[in-house]
Amino acid sequence: MEIEGKIIAVIPAREGVSARTGTQWKSQDYVIETHDQYPRRCCFNVFGSDKIQLFNIQVGEELRVSFDIDAHEYQGRWFNSVRAWKVERIDANAAAQAPVPPMPFDEPAPAPAPSAQPAAPTAAAAPAQEAAPFPPQQEGGSEDDLPF
């Protein structure tokens, strides 16, 4: 999975020694915030001092983070882990210049293009004609469109 956004927090690294293997480990968490209409935040983890140094993630950077989601059980409770395996820097200038799609009610919808042939009435259109708020104008009636 992927998420794009701005790093808003860098949590201090944790380190220790594995009880099983006796090897040292290091892990660091980061919080990223998306640029959606309703921004979302996601805390992800980078495991291993080599990857922490390679990614070198700083607060304020625009990133695209590829990650895996997994869950584990500890003492009868379940916890999610969001572990990053790839981090790409996004050019902030290119993102700022990218066209933003219009919001649904910002602009009126374009009028449909006229077709060469009139559309054939469908069965669904017939009830809509019967339910018109004003009766159709009769021959010899007045020229205005008022119903009275």
Side-chain angles (χ1 to χ4, degrees), residues 93-133:
N93 294 334
Q97 295 173 358
V100 177
M103 296 306 295
F105 297 105
D106 285 349
E107 298 177 17
S115 61
Q117 297 177 355
T122 61
Q129 291 174 351
E130 293 174 8

Side-chain angles (χ1 to χ4, degrees), residues 16-26 47:
V17 177
S18 171
R20 247 186 290 160
T21 63
T23 59
Q24 285 194 330
W25 58 268
K26 188 172 184 179
F47 188 82

Side-chain angles (χ1 to χ4, degrees), residues 3-5 61-64 88-95:
I3 189 168
E4 289 185 12
E61 287 185 309
E62 293 289 331
L63 300 177
R64 177 181 301 117
E88 299 172 293
R89 304 242 167 355
I90 299 174
D91 183 12
N93 294 334

Side-chain angles (χ1 to χ4, degrees), residues 1-147:
M1 301 180 85
E2 286 186 353
I3 189 168
E4 289 185 12
K6 181 178 182 178
I7 299 297
I8 60 170
V10 176
I11 313 304
R14 296 173 295 154
E15 51 188 286
V17 177
S18 171
R20 247 186 290 160
T21 63
T23 59
Q24 285 194 330
W25 58 268
K26 188 172 184 179
S27 175
Q28 190 159 15
D29 293 335
Y30 305 89
V31 179
I32 190 169
E33 184 175 62
T34 66
H35 298 295
D36 298 333
Q37 180 180 3
Y38 301 105
R40 296 175 294 156
R41 294 179 179 161
C42 177
C43 181
F44 66 93
N45 175 277
V46 176
F47 188 82
S49 59
D50 57 335
K51 286 186 182 175
I52 293 170
Q53 289 176 350
L54 176 68
F55 296 156
N56 191 26
I57 300 171
Q58 305 296 320
V59 172
E61 287 185 309
E62 293 289 331
L63 300 177
R64 177 181 301 117
V65 179
S66 300
F67 57 89
D68 291 325
I69 299 176
D70 195 18
H72 62 278
E73 184 264 338
Y74 178 71
Q75 295 182 349
R77 294 186 62 192
W78 285 88
F79 301 90
N80 290 323
S81 92
V82 179
R83 183 158 297 166
W85 53 271
K86 180 178 168 185
V87 173
E88 299 172 293
R89 304 242 167 355
I90 299 174
D91 183 12
N93 294 334
Q97 295 173 358
V100 177
M103 296 306 295
F105 297 105
D106 285 349
E107 298 177 17
S115 61
Q117 297 177 355
T122 61
Q129 291 174 351
E130 293 174 8
F134 305 111
Q137 191 175 19
Q138 298 174 357
E139 288 185 28
S142 67
E143 293 297 321
D144 63 336
D145 61 348
L146 298 174

